[in-house]
Amino acid sequence: RSRDISGSFMVSYDVQSLFTNVPLERTIDICMDRLYRGSITAPDIPEDVLVKLIRLCVCNNTFLFDGKVYEQFDGVAMGSSLGPILANIWMSHLEEQHIVHSE
Protein backbone atom coordinates (compact mmCIF):
# COMPACT_ATOMS: atom_id res chain seq x y z
CA ARG A 1 0.00 0.00 0.00
CA SER A 2 1.45 3.35 -0.95
CA ARG A 3 0.90 6.62 0.81
CA ASP A 4 1.37 10.18 -0.36
CA ILE A 5 3.98 11.72 1.91
CA SER A 6 4.49 14.96 -0.01
CA GLY A 7 4.43 17.84 2.43
CA SER A 8 5.72 15.57 5.19
CA PHE A 9 9.17 15.59 6.72
CA MET A 10 11.33 13.14 8.64
CA VAL A 11 12.22 13.91 12.25
CA SER A 12 15.05 12.30 14.16
CA TYR A 13 15.74 12.72 17.86
CA ASP A 14 18.90 12.12 19.83
CA VAL A 15 18.06 11.92 23.50
CA GLN A 16 21.05 12.28 25.79
CA SER A 17 21.04 9.93 28.79
CA LEU A 18 17.50 8.77 28.09
CA PHE A 19 17.18 6.07 30.76
CA THR A 20 18.40 8.27 33.60
CA ASN A 21 16.08 11.09 32.50
CA VAL A 22 12.83 9.10 32.35
CA PRO A 23 10.53 10.56 35.04
CA LEU A 24 9.46 7.36 36.77
CA GLU A 25 6.31 8.49 38.58
CA ARG A 26 4.97 10.28 35.51
CA THR A 27 5.74 7.27 33.32
CA ILE A 28 4.04 4.92 35.78
CA ASP A 29 0.98 7.24 35.72
CA ILE A 30 0.97 7.11 31.90
CA CYS A 31 1.10 3.30 32.04
CA MET A 32 -1.83 3.17 34.44
CA ASP A 33 -3.87 5.62 32.35
CA ARG A 34 -3.35 3.52 29.23
CA LEU A 35 -3.95 0.19 30.96
CA TYR A 36 -6.92 1.05 33.17
CA ARG A 37 -8.54 4.06 31.51
CA GLY A 38 -7.63 3.52 27.86
CA SER A 39 -9.32 1.63 25.07
CA ILE A 40 -7.78 -1.77 25.90
CA THR A 41 -9.13 -4.35 28.31
CA ALA A 42 -7.67 -3.65 31.75
CA PRO A 43 -5.49 -6.37 33.32
CA ASP A 44 -6.94 -8.61 36.03
CA ILE A 45 -4.48 -7.31 38.63
CA PRO A 46 -5.75 -4.32 40.68
CA GLU A 47 -4.17 -1.03 39.66
CA ASP A 48 -2.72 -0.21 43.08
CA VAL A 49 -1.00 -3.62 43.21
CA LEU A 50 0.54 -3.16 39.76
CA VAL A 51 1.80 0.31 40.70
CA LYS A 52 3.45 -1.11 43.84
CA LEU A 53 5.08 -3.92 41.84
CA ILE A 54 6.46 -1.54 39.21
CA ARG A 55 7.79 0.82 41.89
CA LEU A 56 9.41 -2.12 43.66
CA CYS A 57 11.24 -3.01 40.44
CA VAL A 58 12.39 0.44 39.35
CA CYS A 59 12.47 2.89 42.26
CA ASN A 60 15.32 3.55 44.70
CA ASN A 61 17.89 1.40 42.94
CA THR A 62 21.39 1.23 44.36
CA PHE A 63 24.54 0.66 42.37
CA LEU A 64 28.27 0.40 42.97
CA PHE A 65 30.66 2.73 41.14
CA ASP A 66 34.34 3.12 41.83
CA GLY A 67 33.99 1.33 45.17
CA LYS A 68 31.15 3.56 46.41
CA VAL A 69 27.43 2.74 46.75
CA TYR A 70 24.99 5.22 45.22
CA GLU A 71 21.20 5.42 45.20
CA GLN A 72 19.41 6.48 42.03
CA PHE A 73 16.38 8.61 42.91
CA ASP A 74 14.78 9.06 39.50
CA GLY A 75 15.19 7.70 36.04
CA VAL A 76 15.51 4.09 34.97
CA ALA A 77 18.63 2.26 36.08
CA MET A 78 20.89 1.00 33.31
CA GLY A 79 20.44 -2.75 33.04
CA SER A 80 16.92 -2.73 34.45
CA SER A 81 14.72 -5.21 32.59
CA LEU A 82 11.91 -2.64 32.57
CA GLY A 83 14.22 0.14 31.36
CA PRO A 84 13.63 -0.15 27.60
CA ILE A 85 9.88 -0.58 28.08
CA LEU A 86 9.51 2.48 30.31
CA ALA A 87 11.79 4.56 28.08
CA ASN A 88 9.68 3.63 25.04
CA ILE A 89 6.46 4.48 26.87
CA TRP A 90 7.88 7.87 27.91
CA MET A 91 9.14 8.69 24.41
CA SER A 92 5.83 7.58 22.88
CA HIS A 93 4.03 9.92 25.26
CA LEU A 94 6.30 12.82 24.29
CA GLU A 95 5.72 12.12 20.60
CA GLU A 96 1.97 12.07 21.09
CA GLN A 97 1.99 15.30 23.09
CA HIS A 98 4.41 17.30 20.96
CA ILE A 99 4.19 15.90 17.45
CA VAL A 100 0.83 14.24 16.84
CA HIS A 101 -1.19 16.94 18.62
CA SER A 102 0.70 19.77 16.90
CA GLU A 103 -0.41 18.75 13.39
Side-chain angles (χ1 to χ4, degrees):
R1 167 175 130 166
S2 67
R3 182 177 165 185
D4 180 14
I5 58 170
S6 61
S8 299
F9 56 93
M10 176 69 81
V11 177
S12 176
Y13 295 98
D14 181 15
V15 179
Q16 188 174 14
S17 304
L18 174 59
F19 279 26
T20 56
N21 285 301
V22 171
L24 287 177
E25 286 302 319
R26 182 69 184 115
T27 304
I28 293 170
D29 289 343
I30 292 164
C31 292
M32 296 306 107
D33 285 342
R34 291 182 181 181
L35 286 171
Y36 291 94
R37 289 168 284 288
S39 59
I40 64 171
T41 302
D44 291 333
I45 186 170
E47 182 176 350
D48 63 318
V49 173
L50 183 56
V51 168
K52 287 177 186 176
L53 289 171
I54 293 172
R55 284 183 182 146
L56 181 66
C57 292
V58 298
C59 293
N60 301 318
N61 285 307
T62 57
F63 60 93
L64 184 66
F65 177 73
D66 200 23
K68 295 180 182 176
V69 177
Y70 296 88
E71 183 176 7
Q72 184 168 332
F73 294 104
D74 203 8
V76 180
M78 297 300 295
S80 166
S81 58
L82 290 177
I85 296 166
L86 294 174
N88 282 334
I89 290 169
W90 176 246
M91 291 305 296
S92 174
H93 171 75
L94 289 180
E95 286 179 13
E96 289 172 4
Q97 295 301 306
H98 298 287
I99 296 172
V100 176
H101 294 294
S102 66
E103 293 180 353

XYZ file of all heavy atoms in Angstrom:
816
model
N 0.852 -1.168 0.000
C 0.000 0.000 0.000
C 0.894 1.226 0.000
O 1.814 1.352 0.803
C -0.887 -0.129 1.232
C -1.629 1.064 1.613
C -2.538 0.736 2.768
N -2.348 1.720 3.806
C -3.139 1.882 4.809
N -4.145 1.052 4.981
N -2.935 2.799 5.692
N 0.645 2.128 -0.887
C 1.451 3.349 -0.954
C 0.697 4.498 -0.293
O -0.519 4.481 -0.171
C 1.800 3.695 -2.397
O 0.633 4.045 -3.096
N 1.472 5.468 0.111
C 0.901 6.616 0.815
C 1.586 7.871 0.307
O 2.805 7.904 0.158
C 1.132 6.426 2.304
C 0.568 7.509 3.146
C 0.786 7.179 4.595
N 0.563 8.370 5.385
C 0.757 8.454 6.671
N 1.195 7.404 7.321
N 0.531 9.559 7.319
N 0.815 8.908 0.086
C 1.374 10.180 -0.360
C 1.996 10.887 0.839
O 1.311 11.240 1.793
C 0.284 11.048 -0.973
C 0.794 12.384 -1.457
O 2.039 12.544 -1.564
O -0.029 13.275 -1.737
N 3.295 11.067 0.798
C 3.981 11.720 1.910
C 4.516 13.095 1.520
O 5.304 13.682 2.253
C 5.128 10.836 2.463
C 6.136 10.519 1.371
C 4.569 9.585 3.099
C 7.394 9.857 1.884
N 4.065 13.611 0.381
C 4.488 14.955 -0.005
C 3.976 15.940 1.048
O 2.886 15.809 1.578
C 3.956 15.319 -1.390
O 2.551 15.294 -1.395
N 4.779 16.882 1.387
C 4.430 17.835 2.426
C 4.793 17.346 3.816
O 4.624 18.060 4.791
N 5.287 16.123 3.905
C 5.721 15.572 5.193
C 7.228 15.717 5.324
O 7.922 15.969 4.357
C 5.354 14.084 5.287
O 3.971 13.902 5.204
N 7.723 15.545 6.514
C 9.165 15.589 6.720
C 9.559 14.590 7.788
O 8.761 14.225 8.654
C 9.643 17.004 7.092
C 8.954 17.580 8.295
C 9.483 17.440 9.562
C 7.756 18.278 8.153
C 8.847 17.971 10.671
C 7.110 18.816 9.254
C 7.664 18.659 10.515
N 10.798 14.118 7.702
C 11.329 13.144 8.641
C 11.924 13.880 9.829
O 12.587 14.902 9.687
C 12.418 12.315 7.966
C 13.107 11.330 8.877
S 12.060 9.986 9.383
C 12.167 8.955 7.961
N 11.678 13.335 11.023
C 12.218 13.908 12.249
C 13.034 12.834 12.943
O 12.621 11.681 13.031
C 11.089 14.390 13.188
C 11.650 14.907 14.489
C 10.237 15.440 12.507
N 14.197 13.230 13.421
C 15.047 12.303 14.162
C 15.442 12.966 15.474
O 15.750 14.156 15.509
C 16.298 11.986 13.334
O 17.178 11.179 14.063
N 15.398 12.189 16.550
C 15.744 12.718 17.855
C 16.956 11.987 18.410
O 17.119 10.793 18.215
C 14.585 12.540 18.850
C 13.376 13.340 18.484
C 12.311 12.768 17.815
C 13.296 14.683 18.807
C 11.200 13.506 17.483
C 12.192 15.426 18.479
C 11.141 14.836 17.817
O 10.045 15.567 17.489
N 17.770 12.700 19.117
C 18.898 12.116 19.827
C 18.737 12.537 21.277
O 18.966 13.684 21.633
C 20.219 12.619 19.250
C 21.422 12.021 19.953
O 21.260 11.016 20.673
O 22.525 12.552 19.788
N 18.311 11.614 22.103
C 18.059 11.923 23.504
C 19.285 11.543 24.308
O 19.714 10.393 24.302
C 16.825 11.162 24.034
C 16.583 11.481 25.490
C 15.610 11.508 23.186
N 19.849 12.513 24.986
C 21.046 12.278 25.786
C 20.654 11.680 27.134
O 19.757 12.189 27.808
C 21.801 13.587 25.977
C 23.144 13.417 26.638
C 23.911 14.726 26.678
O 23.367 15.796 26.446
N 25.175 14.630 26.967
N 21.281 10.588 27.504
C 21.044 9.925 28.794
C 19.566 9.636 29.012
O 18.998 9.966 30.054
C 21.589 10.785 29.939
O 22.945 11.061 29.754
N 18.944 8.995 28.034
C 17.496 8.770 28.086
C 17.067 8.038 29.341
O 16.188 8.507 30.069
C 17.029 7.990 26.849
C 15.558 7.565 26.852
C 14.638 8.772 26.973
C 15.243 6.763 25.607
N 17.660 6.879 29.635
C 17.183 6.072 30.760
C 17.209 6.859 32.068
O 16.259 6.812 32.834
C 18.027 4.812 30.916
C 17.639 3.692 29.980
C 17.032 3.945 28.768
C 17.894 2.389 30.315
C 16.682 2.927 27.904
C 17.547 1.353 29.467
C 16.942 1.629 28.258
N 18.283 7.562 32.317
C 18.402 8.271 33.596
C 17.543 9.529 33.653
O 17.419 10.142 34.712
C 19.869 8.631 33.891
O 20.388 9.399 32.809
C 20.704 7.377 34.069
N 16.942 9.913 32.523
C 16.082 11.091 32.498
C 14.599 10.759 32.338
O 13.781 11.662 32.170
C 16.522 12.047 31.387
C 17.778 12.786 31.768
O 17.806 13.488 32.768
N 18.836 12.604 31.007
N 14.240 9.489 32.400
C 12.829 9.105 32.346
C 12.202 9.411 33.708
O 12.652 8.883 34.722
C 12.683 7.595 32.023
C 11.233 7.155 32.175
C 13.190 7.290 30.621
N 11.178 10.264 33.755
C 10.527 10.560 35.036
C 9.655 9.370 35.451
O 8.593 9.129 34.875
C 9.697 11.810 34.743
C 9.443 11.749 33.277
C 10.607 11.037 32.653
N 10.106 8.619 36.430
C 9.462 7.356 36.767
C 8.004 7.496 37.179
O 7.142 6.778 36.669
C 10.248 6.634 37.867
C 11.567 6.032 37.410
C 12.297 5.414 38.599
C 11.340 4.991 36.335
N 7.701 8.379 38.107
C 6.315 8.491 38.582
C 5.370 8.901 37.458
O 4.271 8.373 37.334
C 6.209 9.446 39.769
C 6.749 8.865 41.056
C 6.064 7.569 41.488
O 4.823 7.448 41.366
O 6.777 6.660 41.961
N 5.810 9.842 36.643
C 4.970 10.282 35.514
C 4.777 9.141 34.515
O 3.691 8.932 33.993
C 5.611 11.503 34.837
C 4.809 12.047 33.696
C 3.501 12.695 34.171
N 2.731 13.106 33.018
C 1.549 12.587 32.691
N 0.990 11.681 33.453
N 0.912 12.986 31.620
N 5.831 8.381 34.261
C 5.737 7.275 33.324
C 4.840 6.161 33.871
O 4.059 5.568 33.123
C 7.143 6.728 32.991
O 7.953 7.806 32.503
C 7.082 5.648 31.938
N 4.931 5.907 35.158
C 4.036 4.921 35.777
C 2.584 5.394 35.662
O 1.683 4.611 35.340
C 4.436 4.651 37.241
C 5.792 3.938 37.289
C 3.364 3.835 37.956
C 6.407 3.835 38.682
N 2.336 6.688 35.877
C 0.984 7.238 35.716
C 0.476 7.051 34.287
O -0.695 6.716 34.070
C 0.960 8.725 36.070
C 1.118 8.991 37.551
O 0.936 8.048 38.360
O 1.437 10.145 37.906
N 1.346 7.288 33.313
C 0.972 7.109 31.900
C 0.601 5.652 31.647
O -0.403 5.354 30.989
C 2.117 7.559 30.976
C 2.304 9.070 31.064
C 1.854 7.126 29.529
C 3.623 9.565 30.499
N 1.396 4.739 32.182
C 1.103 3.304 32.045
C -0.275 2.973 32.609
O -1.070 2.271 31.977
C 2.159 2.465 32.758
S 3.791 2.508 32.035
N -0.556 3.479 33.795
C -1.831 3.174 34.441
C -3.002 3.779 33.666
O -4.051 3.143 33.517
C -1.844 3.668 35.891
C -0.839 2.979 36.804
S -0.929 1.188 36.818
C 0.543 0.760 35.891
N -2.813 4.996 33.159
C -3.874 5.619 32.355
C -4.183 4.776 31.125
O -5.345 4.563 30.777
C -3.481 7.033 31.927
C -3.574 8.035 33.055
O -4.249 7.737 34.068
O -2.968 9.112 32.934
N -3.146 4.305 30.453
C -3.353 3.517 29.234
C -3.930 2.142 29.541
O -4.759 1.628 28.794
C -2.047 3.387 28.464
C -1.622 4.709 27.872
C -0.373 4.595 27.062
N -0.006 5.903 26.533
C 1.034 6.115 25.769
N 1.829 5.117 25.438
N 1.305 7.319 25.327
N -3.489 1.538 30.627
C -3.949 0.188 30.959
C -5.354 0.162 31.558
O -6.148 -0.730 31.247
C -2.980 -0.468 31.951
C -1.651 -0.933 31.391
C -0.717 -1.348 32.523
C -1.843 -2.072 30.413
N -5.661 1.114 32.426
C -6.917 1.052 33.172
C -7.969 2.050 32.701
O -9.135 1.906 33.043
C -6.649 1.249 34.670
C -5.906 0.075 35.262
C -4.520 0.086 35.365
C -6.588 -1.059 35.692
C -3.830 -0.998 35.889
C -5.910 -2.148 36.214
C -4.531 -2.114 36.308
O -3.856 -3.191 36.821
N -7.568 3.073 31.960
C -8.539 4.065 31.509
C -8.502 4.268 30.001
O -9.145 5.160 29.476
C -8.306 5.393 32.239
C -8.723 5.311 33.712
C -8.268 6.478 34.539
N -6.853 6.453 34.893
C -6.303 5.611 35.776
N -7.034 4.690 36.364
N -5.015 5.674 36.069
N -7.746 3.432 29.312
C -7.630 3.523 27.864
C -8.638 2.631 27.157
O -9.605 2.149 27.756
N -8.375 2.392 25.901
C -9.316 1.633 25.072
C -9.065 0.131 25.096
O -9.795 -0.617 24.461
C -9.239 2.144 23.632
O -7.910 1.985 23.139
N -8.055 -0.336 25.823
C -7.783 -1.772 25.897
C -8.439 -2.366 27.141
O -8.816 -1.640 28.062
C -6.265 -2.060 25.913
C -5.603 -1.486 27.168
C -5.596 -1.537 24.662
C -4.168 -1.917 27.358
N -8.565 -3.668 27.144
C -9.128 -4.346 28.314
C -8.116 -4.282 29.451
O -6.953 -4.654 29.277
C -9.440 -5.819 27.982
O -10.341 -5.847 26.875
C -10.062 -6.525 29.166
N -8.563 -3.814 30.598
C -7.674 -3.654 31.753
C -7.203 -5.027 32.246
O -7.936 -6.013 32.154
C -8.395 -2.916 32.870
N -5.984 -5.094 32.773
C -5.495 -6.367 33.321
C -6.304 -6.796 34.543
O -6.987 -5.985 35.169
C -4.043 -6.068 33.702
C -3.824 -4.631 33.519
C -5.011 -4.030 32.867
N -6.204 -8.076 34.882
C -6.944 -8.609 36.032
C -6.377 -8.145 37.369
O -7.066 -8.180 38.378
C -6.944 -10.143 36.002
C -7.779 -10.681 34.856
O -8.717 -9.985 34.423
O -7.491 -11.793 34.384
N -5.125 -7.735 37.384
C -4.485 -7.310 38.631
C -4.987 -5.912 39.005
O -5.115 -5.038 38.140
C -2.942 -7.332 38.474
C -2.249 -7.035 39.791
C -2.485 -6.384 37.398
C -0.746 -7.272 39.742
N -5.305 -5.664 40.275
C -5.747 -4.320 40.680
C -4.658 -3.269 40.400
O -3.463 -3.546 40.523
C -5.992 -4.468 42.183
C -6.210 -5.921 42.404
C -5.352 -6.621 41.384
N -5.098 -2.095 40.035
C -4.173 -1.025 39.656
C -3.171 -0.700 40.760
O -1.981 -0.548 40.495
C -4.957 0.232 39.272
C -4.086 1.373 38.817
C -4.883 2.582 38.348
O -6.121 2.487 38.195
O -4.255 3.626 38.133
N -3.627 -0.579 42.001
C -2.715 -0.214 43.081
C -1.643 -1.289 43.306
O -0.502 -0.976 43.645
C -3.477 0.074 44.378
C -4.223 -1.133 44.916
O -4.836 -1.872 44.115
O -4.202 -1.334 46.142
N -1.985 -2.539 43.075
C -1.005 -3.624 43.211
C 0.038 -3.535 42.104
O 1.246 -3.665 42.354
C -1.706 -4.996 43.201
C -0.685 -6.132 43.177
C -2.635 -5.130 44.396
N -0.402 -3.285 40.874
C 0.535 -3.164 39.757
C 1.482 -1.983 39.958
O 2.684 -2.087 39.707
C -0.216 -3.039 38.433
C 0.648 -2.985 37.177
C 1.579 -4.197 37.085
C -0.229 -2.885 35.939
N 0.948 -0.863 40.430
C 1.797 0.307 40.701
C 2.869 -0.048 41.734
O 4.052 0.272 41.559
C 0.959 1.514 41.170
C 1.840 2.618 41.723
C 0.102 2.045 40.034
N 2.481 -0.722 42.795
C 3.451 -1.113 43.836
C 4.514 -2.046 43.279
O 5.703 -1.917 43.613
C 2.738 -1.776 45.011
C 1.952 -0.811 45.859
C 1.202 -1.533 46.969
C 0.310 -0.568 47.722
N -0.504 -1.242 48.734
N 4.115 -2.989 42.431
C 5.075 -3.921 41.843
C 6.064 -3.209 40.920
O 7.269 -3.489 40.955
C 4.339 -5.030 41.083
C 3.584 -6.039 41.939
C 2.727 -6.949 41.060
C 4.553 -6.838 42.787
N 5.562 -2.287 40.104
C 6.459 -1.539 39.209
C 7.423 -0.692 40.025
O 8.627 -0.664 39.754
C 5.656 -0.671 38.216
C 4.880 -1.561 37.243
C 6.593 0.265 37.443
C 3.913 -0.813 36.352
N 6.916 0.001 41.039
C 7.791 0.819 41.893
C 8.852 -0.039 42.575
O 10.001 0.377 42.708
C 6.972 1.562 42.940
C 6.231 2.743 42.392
C 5.498 3.480 43.482
N 4.745 4.598 42.941
C 3.595 5.013 43.415
N 3.048 4.410 44.468
N 2.977 6.023 42.868
N 8.463 -1.215 43.022
C 9.413 -2.120 43.658
C 10.554 -2.481 42.713
O 11.708 -2.585 43.125
C 8.678 -3.397 44.117
C 9.509 -4.449 44.825
C 10.013 -3.909 46.170
C 8.683 -5.712 45.042
N 10.231 -2.626 41.440
C 11.236 -3.011 40.442
C 12.135 -1.865 39.998
O 13.293 -2.098 39.639
C 10.545 -3.587 39.205
S 9.748 -5.159 39.480
N 11.624 -0.639 39.987
C 12.392 0.436 39.347
C 12.771 1.615 40.248
O 13.590 2.445 39.844
C 11.665 0.988 38.089
C 11.502 -0.089 37.043
C 10.334 1.616 38.444
N 12.188 1.722 41.413
C 12.473 2.888 42.255
C 13.548 2.582 43.294
O 13.678 1.458 43.759
C 11.198 3.361 42.956
S 9.975 4.022 41.824
N 14.297 3.619 43.646
C 15.316 3.547 44.699
C 16.341 2.443 44.472
O 16.659 1.669 45.368
C 14.660 3.400 46.076
C 13.731 4.537 46.384
O 14.048 5.696 46.103
N 12.574 4.247 46.917
N 16.847 2.371 43.258
C 17.887 1.399 42.937
C 19.232 1.868 43.476
O 19.538 3.055 43.473
C 17.998 1.217 41.422
C 16.862 0.408 40.877
O 16.606 -0.686 41.354
N 16.169 0.946 39.889
N 20.023 0.922 43.930
C 21.386 1.225 44.363
C 22.357 0.596 43.382
O 22.043 -0.414 42.737
C 21.665 0.685 45.776
O 21.417 -0.714 45.797
C 20.791 1.374 46.809
N 23.515 1.222 43.245
C 24.544 0.664 42.374
C 25.910 1.010 42.932
O 26.068 1.951 43.721
C 24.381 1.166 40.933
C 24.465 2.655 40.767
C 25.668 3.268 40.458
C 23.337 3.446 40.918
C 25.752 4.640 40.299
C 23.410 4.829 40.758
C 24.616 5.416 40.456
N 26.888 0.240 42.522
C 28.266 0.404 42.971
C 29.081 1.004 41.837
O 29.056 0.509 40.715
C 28.842 -0.964 43.372
C 30.245 -0.989 43.946
C 30.267 -0.279 45.300
C 30.709 -2.435 44.089
N 29.785 2.095 42.125
C 30.665 2.726 41.143
C 31.936 3.170 41.840
O 31.872 3.889 42.837
C 29.976 3.921 40.469
C 30.854 4.647 39.512
C 31.169 4.093 38.279
C 31.396 5.879 39.834
C 31.992 4.754 37.390
C 32.221 6.547 38.962
C 32.518 5.985 37.734
N 33.039 2.730 41.311
C 34.343 3.117 41.832
C 34.446 2.862 43.341
O 34.969 3.673 44.098
C 34.615 4.591 41.496
C 36.097 4.936 41.563
O 36.936 4.020 41.424
O 36.415 6.126 41.758
N 33.899 1.718 43.770
C 33.993 1.328 45.172
C 33.019 2.015 46.110
O 33.069 1.798 47.321
N 32.127 2.845 45.573
C 31.150 3.556 46.413
C 29.738 3.151 46.008
O 29.455 2.935 44.838
C 31.302 5.068 46.275
C 32.629 5.594 46.784
C 32.709 7.094 46.612
C 34.078 7.602 47.078
N 34.222 9.036 46.847
N 28.833 3.077 46.988
C 27.434 2.735 46.750
C 26.630 4.022 46.583
O 26.746 4.949 47.388
C 26.857 1.897 47.914
C 25.379 1.612 47.698
C 27.634 0.589 48.063
N 25.834 4.062 45.520
C 24.995 5.218 45.218
C 23.545 4.765 45.112
O 23.260 3.618 44.786
C 25.399 5.864 43.892
C 26.787 6.449 43.893
C 27.894 5.670 43.562
C 26.988 7.780 44.228
C 29.169 6.211 43.553
C 28.260 8.332 44.224
C 29.340 7.540 43.885
O 30.591 8.075 43.885
N 22.621 5.684 45.384
C 21.204 5.417 45.197
C 20.686 6.314 44.087
O 20.927 7.523 44.084
C 20.423 5.686 46.484
C 18.956 5.357 46.376
C 18.203 5.528 47.682
O 18.785 6.027 48.661
O 17.032 5.159 47.710
N 19.988 5.719 43.141
C 19.405 6.480 42.033
C 17.986 6.852 42.422
O 17.165 5.981 42.705
C 19.417 5.635 40.757
C 18.924 6.392 39.556
C 19.216 5.646 38.268
O 20.172 4.891 38.192
N 18.395 5.870 37.277
N 17.674 8.149 42.445
C 16.376 8.615 42.914
C 15.330 8.715 41.814
O 14.142 8.610 42.080
C 16.518 9.978 43.612
C 17.306 9.892 44.883
C 18.614 10.328 44.934
C 16.744 9.350 46.022
C 19.346 10.242 46.101
C 17.462 9.253 47.197
C 18.769 9.700 47.235
N 15.735 8.975 40.603
C 14.781 9.063 39.496
C 15.456 8.541 38.246
O 16.666 8.387 38.187
C 14.301 10.502 39.289
C 12.948 10.575 38.583
O 12.300 9.512 38.392
O 12.527 11.679 38.211
N 14.658 8.270 37.257
C 15.191 7.704 36.035
C 15.279 6.189 36.157
O 15.201 5.626 37.237
N 15.424 5.542 35.015
C 15.509 4.094 34.970
C 16.968 3.686 35.058
O 17.820 4.233 34.364
C 14.886 3.556 33.667
C 14.958 2.048 33.611
C 13.445 4.014 33.528
N 17.254 2.727 35.916
C 18.631 2.263 36.075
C 19.081 1.517 34.822
O 18.311 0.753 34.235
C 18.730 1.349 37.292
N 20.305 1.739 34.424
C 20.886 1.003 33.305
C 20.910 -0.473 33.673
O 21.302 -0.829 34.777
C 22.289 1.503 33.005
C 22.352 2.950 32.562
S 21.408 3.276 31.065
C 22.303 2.310 29.884
N 20.469 -1.323 32.774
C 20.436 -2.749 33.040
C 19.122 -3.242 33.606
O 18.914 -4.442 33.725
N 18.230 -2.339 33.949
C 16.919 -2.735 34.455
C 16.131 -3.399 33.327
O 16.095 -2.889 32.204
C 16.163 -1.506 34.962
O 14.795 -1.810 35.158
N 15.492 -4.522 33.626
C 14.723 -5.215 32.585
C 13.521 -4.391 32.121
O 13.053 -4.556 30.999
C 14.275 -6.588 33.075
O 13.503 -6.466 34.246
N 13.025 -3.499 32.964
C 11.908 -2.635 32.574
C 12.377 -1.342 31.908
O 11.563 -0.571 31.406
C 11.044 -2.296 33.791
C 10.229 -3.443 34.378
C 9.479 -2.981 35.623
C 9.261 -3.995 33.358
N 13.681 -1.105 31.895
C 14.222 0.136 31.355
C 13.796 0.450 29.937
O 13.237 1.529 29.673
N 14.029 -0.451 28.975
C 13.631 -0.149 27.599
C 12.130 0.053 27.434
O 11.693 0.912 26.676
C 14.101 -1.383 26.820
C 15.169 -1.987 27.651
C 14.785 -1.694 29.069
N 11.344 -0.707 28.170
C 9.884 -0.585 28.075
C 9.438 0.785 28.576
O 8.671 1.492 27.907
C 9.192 -1.703 28.876
C 9.532 -3.061 28.270
C 7.682 -1.486 28.942
C 9.182 -4.237 29.147
N 9.908 1.182 29.750
C 9.506 2.477 30.315
C 10.037 3.637 29.472
O 9.341 4.649 29.302
C 9.964 2.590 31.763
C 9.281 1.613 32.728
C 9.904 1.707 34.121
C 7.787 1.865 32.795
N 11.242 3.509 28.952
C 11.791 4.561 28.084
C 10.953 4.696 26.816
O 10.661 5.820 26.372
C 13.244 4.257 27.742
N 10.533 3.582 26.241
C 9.681 3.631 25.045
C 8.324 4.242 25.348
O 7.790 5.016 24.549
C 9.502 2.234 24.455
C 10.703 1.788 23.670
O 11.461 2.588 23.159
N 10.881 0.479 23.581
N 7.754 3.899 26.491
C 6.462 4.478 26.875
C 6.596 5.989 27.047
O 5.752 6.760 26.586
C 5.920 3.802 28.151
C 5.506 2.360 27.833
C 4.764 4.599 28.762
C 5.215 1.507 29.039
N 7.670 6.438 27.703
C 7.878 7.871 27.913
C 8.070 8.602 26.585
O 7.459 9.643 26.342
C 9.056 8.113 28.848
C 9.354 9.562 29.011
C 10.465 10.225 28.604
C 8.508 10.555 29.607
N 10.359 11.560 28.912
C 9.169 11.783 29.524
C 7.251 10.507 30.203
C 8.612 12.958 30.018
C 6.709 11.686 30.685
C 7.385 12.886 30.591
N 8.890 8.039 25.701
C 9.136 8.693 24.407
C 7.870 8.695 23.555
O 7.595 9.671 22.854
C 10.292 8.010 23.678
C 11.645 8.232 24.324
S 12.064 9.985 24.558
C 12.137 10.547 22.867
N 7.097 7.637 23.611
C 5.832 7.584 22.880
C 4.890 8.677 23.376
O 4.228 9.356 22.586
C 5.193 6.208 23.063
O 3.928 6.168 22.482
N 4.857 8.859 24.681
C 4.027 9.921 25.262
C 4.481 11.296 24.767
O 3.651 12.129 24.381
C 4.099 9.847 26.791
C 3.463 10.997 27.481
N 2.086 11.146 27.573
C 3.992 12.078 28.102
C 1.815 12.261 28.215
N 2.950 12.835 28.553
N 5.784 11.527 24.771
C 6.295 12.818 24.287
C 5.942 13.045 22.826
O 5.552 14.146 22.436
C 7.806 12.904 24.479
C 8.309 13.051 25.905
C 9.834 13.116 25.916
C 7.715 14.264 26.584
N 6.082 12.002 22.014
C 5.721 12.119 20.598
C 4.246 12.473 20.443
O 3.894 13.351 19.654
C 6.012 10.813 19.864
C 7.477 10.575 19.626
C 7.729 9.245 18.922
O 6.759 8.639 18.401
O 8.874 8.811 18.906
N 3.397 11.786 21.178
C 1.967 12.070 21.086
C 1.650 13.501 21.510
O 0.835 14.173 20.886
C 1.175 11.096 21.956
C 1.153 9.697 21.419
C 0.535 8.705 22.381
O 0.040 9.133 23.456
O 0.549 7.514 22.070
N 2.274 13.969 22.568
C 1.992 15.300 23.086
C 2.551 16.414 22.216
O 1.919 17.451 22.063
C 2.550 15.443 24.510
C 1.889 14.536 25.512
C 0.391 14.776 25.599
O -0.055 15.890 25.813
N -0.386 13.734 25.408
N 3.730 16.199 21.642
C 4.414 17.299 20.963
C 4.441 17.191 19.448
O 4.712 18.187 18.780
C 5.844 17.415 21.481
C 5.885 17.727 22.948
N 5.573 18.956 23.446
C 6.152 16.944 24.017
C 5.677 18.940 24.767
N 6.014 17.731 25.140
N 4.156 16.037 18.922
C 4.192 15.901 17.455
C 2.787 15.662 16.914
O 2.284 16.436 16.105
C 5.126 14.761 17.025
C 6.561 15.096 17.433
C 5.045 14.528 15.533
C 7.545 13.970 17.228
N 2.147 14.611 17.371
C 0.834 14.243 16.841
C -0.189 15.343 17.090
O -0.943 15.722 16.194
C 0.355 12.904 17.443
C -1.047 12.567 16.985
C 1.330 11.792 17.079
N -0.200 15.924 18.282
C -1.192 16.941 18.617
C -0.856 18.315 18.035
O -1.683 19.215 18.087
C -1.361 17.048 20.138
C -1.942 15.812 20.742
N -3.220 15.399 20.486
C -1.405 14.880 21.562
C -3.466 14.276 21.135
N -2.383 13.942 21.789
N 0.334 18.468 17.469
C 0.697 19.774 16.902
C 0.397 19.841 15.409
O 0.606 20.867 14.791
C 2.185 20.064 17.148
O 2.982 19.151 16.417
N -0.108 18.749 14.840
C -0.407 18.752 13.395
C -1.649 19.545 13.089
O -2.540 19.693 13.823
C -0.565 17.322 12.898
C 0.727 16.549 12.941
C 0.543 15.118 12.449
O -0.582 14.682 12.196
O 1.566 14.446 12.318
